[in-house]
Amino acid sequence: SGSVAIGHAFRAVALAECDVAFATGHESSLSPPLFAMYRDANLLSREREDPRRAITPYSGASANAFGEGAVTLVLESRAHAEARGAPILADG
């Protein structure tokens, strides 16, 4: 959903339909079939007490801890960004 939203927002700004567009995507991976698949493949973290220890990058262990998350990306035209003194971070 997020990549589709970014595409729509990018086109709207590129076609000058708007100066600013918000693209939001969310993750809702908390479904029983998904958990079962990862559990059966031994890919879920065994940590149940401390969420900070559920994922330990670079430890040699390969496990996952699921949750829900969301992000919003703000896209704006160059003219709009320059008018407000914003640094240009990317150009499409």
Side-chain angles (χ1 to χ4, degrees), residues 5-63:
I6 291 169
H8 284 296
F10 175 80
R11 278 189 293 281
V13 173
L15 295 172
E17 295 173 356
C18 60
D19 290 327
V20 179
F22 297 85
T24 300
H26 59 88
E27 178 68 31
S28 182
S29 59
L30 304 178
S31 65
L34 184 67
F35 277 116
M37 179 184 73
Y38 275 80
R39 183 195 62 235
D40 293 347
N42 293 319
L43 294 174
L44 286 179
S45 175
R46 289 182 175 79
E47 177 59 49
R48 300 290 184 258
E49 300 299 320
D50 185 356
R52 293 172 297 177
R53 294 186 306 171
I55 301 296
T56 52
Y58 313 110
S59 68
S62 179

Side-chain angles (χ1 to χ4, degrees), residues 71-87:
V71 66
T72 298
L73 178 66
V74 180
L75 301 169
E76 64 183 322
S77 68
R78 176 178 286 277
H80 189 272
E82 289 174 346
R84 65 183 191 85

